[in-house]
């Protein structure tokens, strides 16, 4: 009886060891990607006439490569922000302009990508265009890069104006010569938007919406965008002429991390 019990215990031990080894060697199951809340929508579903040029899906940005979390070139926003943009677009179309969005909802993983890039002081591939007069070691201190972004809350958008009919924009080719983002319009990277005085994501004080050095048509364009959006509930970030947040925000304290893709908007709970 003792001999049989010993054999059974040995068999149980062997089976347990086999199961443990099998579990250890089995590939870990990937965690399902988070989904967008029900009140997030694709901007195109609210207003398909607004031009979308999602820069962080492309390598033409201050990092120089596609940013983490941008699976598709898609503008996603909370429904109230998207509806307010639709109202702004209706007003601007009657004046011969269209809105063009560069960035909308931004996942936290994208912000984390920015932080990693900013901490790598040796990577300055895009400096000549996006931050020619700023030492990269100052990007955090000067407020150009932060560990959290209002974009991740879903009601913030980066955008500009395009005079209609819209001209095509020449695609960016990685490795091509770069020109400072505050150079005269005919020297900067070509964009089919109106002249705002600097390019998008220009890390320079000339990007401040009401910088007194920006005059004439450039200032008029900034004020047209500002006045139109603020009349519909958006608030401008004074340091960036392109940055607006719809108020009140549906999610003022939540920083989401679902990817920028149509799949994030399907099968939501």
């Amino acid at each position: 009886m003792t001999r049989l019990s010993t054999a059974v215990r040995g068999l149980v031990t062997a089976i347990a060891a086999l199961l443990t080894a099998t579990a250890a060697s089995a590939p870990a199951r990937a965690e399902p990607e988070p989904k967008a809340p029900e009140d997030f929508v694709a901007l195109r579903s609210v207003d398909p006439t607004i031009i979308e040029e999602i820069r962080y899906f492309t390598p033409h940005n201050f990092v120089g490569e596609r940013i983490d979390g941008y699976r598709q070139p898609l503008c996603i926003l909370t429904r109230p922000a998207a509806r307010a943009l639709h109202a702004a677009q209706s007003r601007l179309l009657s004046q011969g302009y269209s809105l063009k969005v560069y960035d909308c909802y931004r996942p936290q993983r994208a912000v984390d990508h920015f932080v990693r890039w900013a901490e790598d002081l040796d990577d300055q591939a895009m400096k000549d265009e996006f931050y020619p007069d700023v030492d990269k070691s100052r990007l955090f201190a000067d407020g150009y890069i932060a560990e959290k972004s209002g974009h991740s809350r879903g009601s913030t958008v980066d955008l500009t104006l395009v005079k209609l009919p819209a001209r095509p924009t020449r695609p960016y080719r990685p490795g091509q010569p770069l020109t400072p983002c505050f150079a005269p319009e005919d020297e900067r990277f070509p964009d089919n938007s109106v002249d705002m005085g600097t390019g998008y994501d220009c890390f320079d004080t000339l990007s401040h919406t009401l910088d007194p050095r920006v005059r004439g048509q450039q200032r008029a364009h900034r004020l047209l965008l500002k006045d139109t959006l603020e009349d519909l509930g958006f608030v401008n970030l004074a340091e960036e002429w392109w940055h607006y947040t719809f108020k009140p925000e549906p999610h003022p304290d939540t920083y989401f991390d679902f990817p920028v893709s149509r799949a994030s908007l399907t099968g939501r709970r």
Side-chain angles (χ1 to χ4, degrees):
M1 196 68 180
T2 302
R3 192 177 302 167
L4 180 60
S5 298
T6 301
V8 170
R9 284 198 300 272
L11 180 60
V12 170
T13 301
I15 292 173
L18 179 61
L19 291 174
T20 301
T22 302
S25 62
R29 288 187 178 181
E31 289 293 321
E33 288 281 15
K35 296 289 187 180
E38 291 290 341
D39 60 343
F40 279 71
V41 296
L43 178 61
R44 286 195 188 103
S45 69
V46 177
D47 193 322
T49 70
I50 296 175
I51 301 167
E52 298 188 20
E53 185 183 317
I54 307 302
R55 285 286 186 88
Y56 299 140
F57 181 75
T58 78
H60 189 212
N61 59 66
F62 57 84
V63 176
E65 62 185 8
R66 184 188 297 183
I67 304 304
D68 291 353
Y70 285 81
R71 308 277 176 82
Q72 292 174 309
L74 184 67
C75 174
I76 296 175
L77 288 169
T78 59
R79 187 173 285 106
R83 287 175 173 168
L85 280 189
H86 170 64
Q89 177 77 341
S90 298
R91 295 186 184 186
L92 290 165
L93 288 175
S94 68
Q95 301 175 63
Y97 295 94
S98 172
L99 292 171
K100 179 170 81 168
V101 295
Y102 293 116
D103 192 38
C104 302
Y105 158 75
R106 180 186 304 166
Q108 181 60 44
R109 69 191 74 182
V111 180
D112 295 342
H113 191 167
F114 292 164
V115 170
R116 291 194 306 273
W117 166 81
E119 290 172 342
D120 181 2
L121 299 183
D122 293 329
D123 181 356
Q124 304 204 23
M126 303 300 284
K127 177 177 175 61
D128 289 348
E129 179 173 356
F130 292 96
Y131 53 108
D133 286 353
V134 178
D135 191 292
K136 193 175 181 183
S137 66
R138 296 284 310 170
L139 292 182
F140 288 105
D142 291 350
Y144 293 112
I145 300 292
E147 294 183 351
K148 295 289 184 181
S149 169
H151 282 272
S152 301
R153 301 193 297 262
S155 297
T156 295
V157 60
D158 292 342
L159 74 176
T160 189
L161 295 173
V162 173
K163 184 68 175 175
L164 297 175
R167 298 173 285 109
T169 298
R170 175 168 59 81
Y172 168 77
R173 300 184 308 278
Q176 71 181 61
L178 302 175
T179 302
C181 53
F182 48 69
E185 183 185 24
D186 59 354
E187 297 177 20
R188 298 195 300 264
F189 182 83
D191 190 321
N192 64 354
S193 67
V194 301
D195 185 8
M196 291 288 193
T198 76
Y200 168 57
D201 259 356
C202 187
F203 294 0
D204 192 90
T205 54
L206 277 170
S207 294
H208 293 189
T209 307
L210 299 179
D211 189 288
R213 294 168 293 174
V214 179
R215 302 175 180 174
Q217 278 294 100
Q218 296 173 341
R219 188 175 185 85
H221 292 149
R222 291 188 183 191
L223 291 178
L224 175 59
L225 181 65
K226 185 174 187 289
D227 292 346
T228 302
L229 292 176
E230 289 186 343
D231 194 42
L232 293 164
F234 286 93
V235 176
N236 175 238
L237 178 65
E239 292 77 19
E240 298 178 353
W241 60 256
W242 56 81
H243 180 115
Y244 286 84
T245 299
F246 181 76
K247 301 284 186 174
E249 294 184 67
H251 304 281
D253 302 310
T254 306
Y255 297 84
F256 296 98
D257 193 39
F258 58 86
V260 177
S261 69
R262 295 180 186 85
S264 294
L265 299 172
T266 59
R268 293 175 288 187
R269 294 182 180 180

